[in-house]
Amino acid sequence: MLNKLAASELVLNEDGSVYHLNLLPEDIAKKIILVGDPDRVAKVSKYFDKVEVKKNKREFYTHTGTLRGERITVMSTGIGTENIDIVMNELDALVNIDLKNKEFKTEHSALQLFRMGTCGSVNPDVQVDNMLVTQNVVGLDGLMHFYQDYAFENEFSKNFMEKFPYPKIKPMLYFADWAEELGALYKDAKYHGNTATFPGFYAPQGRQLRLKAVDDQFLETLNDLGVTNFEMETSAIYALSKLLGHKAITVNNVIANRRRGEFSADHHASEKNLIEWVLERIIK
Ligand code: R1P
Ligand code: URA
């Protein structure tokens, strides 16, 4: 690979910021909270001591400031792994590529990424309005098939790959190799689960409104293979973090129990609880 990146490959805006995130290197901290919903960004940054940077473009809203004296960024990713592809590559470019010269930096910088999201449980015993840290993640979204992958295998992945019964869907599996280092965030989560990430909210997650999903037993089948919960970003966050040399962990608030047909009675209160719970544990 050539060291100097062409203008078509590393695309920059007129002010030198990265194309979609609209950010300059000085706009982000090393510790970054990723949320799906753009409205959640201000709900997080209102806890900061002060907010120094507020920028946005499309669904990507970023606030950077300090919390208890430590620099921190919160950014919205919108929905889906295709957005995570953009977020991860452009965040990495901000710290590991010299944007002016379009050259790779010789020294690597690692980011700490915390996804603070919502999910639906497919284990009937996992209760709504509780925190679930993703230990293993199954990517059923397809993004990582476009990258040179890395080999990953453990008991969960071996069992999953062996028994996965849908030949047209090609899973890829990743895990959190940082979880235990996270102290309270990891320890205090009520659940440590195996998350499945999907390229949609309806049929891909077995929801049937007017259209039929691939299998009426989809939720039960995945739960029998060890999957705890469904959402739409973590596979790409874990996989690209691993490949790019960053640290990532997902904490999702369980807002739906799909097997019981339950949804959080007050998901706004539940979101506030998620924000306070995570902030309390990632900044001392
Ligand atoms: C679907 O409603 C969205 O909610 C979940 C899913 O992953 C998807 O992005 O996460 P967020 O609440 O972080 O957006
Ligand atoms: N987010 C999802 O992707 N699925 C759910 O069921 C709930 C939140």
Side-chain angles (χ1 to χ4, degrees):
M1 202 195 306
L2 282 175
N3 200 24
K4 189 127 183 140
L5 293 159
S8 58
E9 308 307 295
L10 174 64
V11 184
L12 301 177
N13 299 311
E14 291 75 11
D15 65 352
S17 58
V18 287
Y19 185 54
H20 300 93
L21 301 185
N22 197 30
L23 296 171
L24 295 163
E26 58 268 30
D27 293 334
I28 58 164
K30 290 277 168 69
K31 199 171 257 190
I32 301 175
I33 297 169
L34 300 174
V35 300
D37 184 356
D39 285 347
R40 202 174 298 150
V41 171
K43 292 177 190 168
V44 173
S45 71
K46 79 170 194 206
Y47 291 92
F48 292 3
D49 314 325
K50 60 174 191 266
V51 179
E52 297 150 12
V53 178
K54 280 190 182 182
K55 291 193 175 179
N56 66 282
K57 189 172 172 187
R58 297 180 186 242
E59 55 268 68
F60 308 111
Y61 281 72
T62 301
H63 290 181
T64 294
T66 52
L67 177 59
R68 295 192 272 282
E70 188 176 337
R71 198 147 190 266
I72 185 158
T73 291
V74 55
M75 172 184 294
S76 60
T77 64
I79 289 180
T81 54
E82 68 278 31
N83 280 6
I84 298 297
D85 182 57
I86 288 171
V87 167
M88 291 299 303
N89 278 286
E90 293 190 10
L91 280 179
D92 182 71
L94 286 170
V95 293
N96 287 315
I97 297 178
D98 173 346
L99 299 183
K100 288 201 180 74
N101 295 317
K102 298 203 168 188
E103 285 171 2
F104 303 129
K105 290 184 180 171
T106 45
E107 219 160 285
H108 178 263
S109 287
L111 297 168
Q112 295 182 358
L113 304 167
F114 301 86
R115 166 163 155 74
M116 182 200 273
T118 60
C119 69
S121 135
V122 288
N123 178 333
D125 300 329
V126 168
Q127 293 156 5
V128 297
D129 298 330
N130 283 289
M131 308 311 158
L132 190 155
V133 164
T134 300
Q135 192 84 47
N136 299 292
V137 58
V138 185
L140 295 160
D141 53 290
L143 174 74
M144 294 311 296
H145 294 298
F146 293 89
Y147 287 90
Q148 286 187 19
D149 59 347
Y150 60 93
F152 163 66
E153 220 177 54
N154 65 9
E155 283 312 308
F156 169 74
S157 77
K158 269 192 263 174
N159 181 56
F160 188 93
M161 287 308 216
E162 204 181 291
K163 302 199 179 130
F164 187 67
Y166 307 105
K168 282 197 270 182
I169 307 170
K170 300 277 174 241
M172 288 186 82
L173 292 115
Y174 319 95
F175 75 117
D177 56 356
W178 193 38
E180 275 86 359
E181 288 171 40
L182 287 169
L185 185 80
Y186 186 77
K187 194 163 52 62
D188 296 352
K190 182 160 172 121
Y191 302 111
H192 302 91
N194 303 317
T195 297
T197 296
F198 293 95
F201 186 78
Y202 290 96
Q205 296 188 26
R207 284 190 172 87
Q208 314 195 69
L209 302 185
R210 294 207 312 121
L211 298 176
K212 295 295 280 175
V214 73
D215 179 3
D216 285 340
Q217 293 302 305
F218 195 62
L219 306 182
E220 290 80 355
T221 303
L222 286 193
N223 187 211
D224 288 347
L225 293 180
V227 171
T228 329
N229 64 310
F230 287 4
E231 50 87 272
M232 298 175 64
E233 289 82 19
T234 297
S235 61
I237 294 175
Y238 278 21
L240 290 172
S241 294
K242 179 83 177 171
L243 292 177
L244 291 164
H246 303 295
K247 300 284 191 185
I249 192 86
T250 288
V251 185
N252 277 319
N253 193 3
V254 181
I255 56 167
N257 185 309
R258 303 286 311 290
R259 300 286 295 285
R260 293 175 182 268
E262 291 169 4
F263 195 78
S264 170
D266 183 349
H267 67 278
H268 298 295
S270 187
E271 181 186 46
K272 184 169 183 283
N273 185 36
L274 169 72
I275 293 167
E276 291 177 355
W277 191 93
V278 172
L279 290 180
E280 199 52 47
R281 286 165 178 81
I282 65 172
I283 305 265
K284 301 223 164 50

